Amino acid sequence: MNISDVAEQTGLPAKTIRYYEEIGLVTPQRSANGYRVFAESDAHKLTFLARARNLGFSIEDCRNLLALWEDRSRASADVRRIAAQHLDDIERRINDLAAMRDTLSDLVQKCSGDDRPDCPILADLAGS
């Protein structure tokens, strides 16, 4: 398969596939003329990576998960540890976003939004 074919099959842009190759996540063969030749196993890896990235895993987590996926003697506890840490990070970000939403919502409600120059939003941002 060439890069266009594997891009279509996996839903990943060719640029992303080339990046994944550059950082060593996939290693397609090269034809005599230097073109990438992707095996079905490469397409499976790329699909795996696309799904992991869609779930927000970092590149390093993806590298570790891919290694575990390929290791048939893996312990599922290792996979779970990576996923649980990522879930904790997501929960933390959700809480941070909820706090930002609550603060901004309060400030928007306090701002009259009229022609007067006083504004509690700007006052808060200025630390007043």
Side-chain angles (χ1 to χ4, degrees):
M1 246 180 303
N2 65 29
I3 197 164
S4 298
D5 295 333
V6 80
E8 184 178 330
Q9 182 177 335
T10 63
L12 290 170
K15 184 176 182 177
T16 300
I17 296 169
R18 285 190 290 274
Y19 173 68
Y20 288 168
E21 178 187 12
E22 181 182 318
I23 63 173
L25 292 175
V26 291
T27 311
Q29 297 295 312
R30 294 285 181 155
S31 65
N33 61 6
Y35 289 116
R36 293 169 184 86
V37 179
F38 292 89
E40 197 61 38
S41 60
D42 296 316
H44 288 300
K45 286 181 189 180
L46 289 165
T47 300
F48 179 97
L49 291 166
R51 179 73 176 129
R53 292 295 287 157
N54 283 338
L55 288 173
F57 284 101
S58 69
I59 292 292
E60 195 55 37
D61 283 345
C62 287
R63 184 181 308 281
N64 293 330
L65 289 168
L66 187 59
L68 288 166
W69 182 54
E70 293 176 321
D71 179 3
R72 297 293 176 204
S73 65
R74 69 183 169 261
S76 64
D78 295 334
V79 179
R80 183 185 171 134
R81 179 184 42 75
I82 294 169
Q85 178 59 51
H86 183 54
L87 183 59
D88 288 347
D89 292 343
I90 290 171
E91 291 290 342
R92 194 170 17 265
R93 283 185 268 160
I94 288 170
N95 290 334
D96 290 346
L97 286 170
M100 282 190 274
R101 179 200 59 220
D102 293 347
T103 300
L104 191 54
S105 178
D106 183 56
L107 290 171
V108 166
Q109 288 182 10
K110 288 179 180 176
C111 182
S112 61
D114 56 19
D115 293 336
R116 297 179 311 168
D118 58 313
C119 178
I121 298 169
L122 294 176
D124 184 82
L125 293 174
S128 304

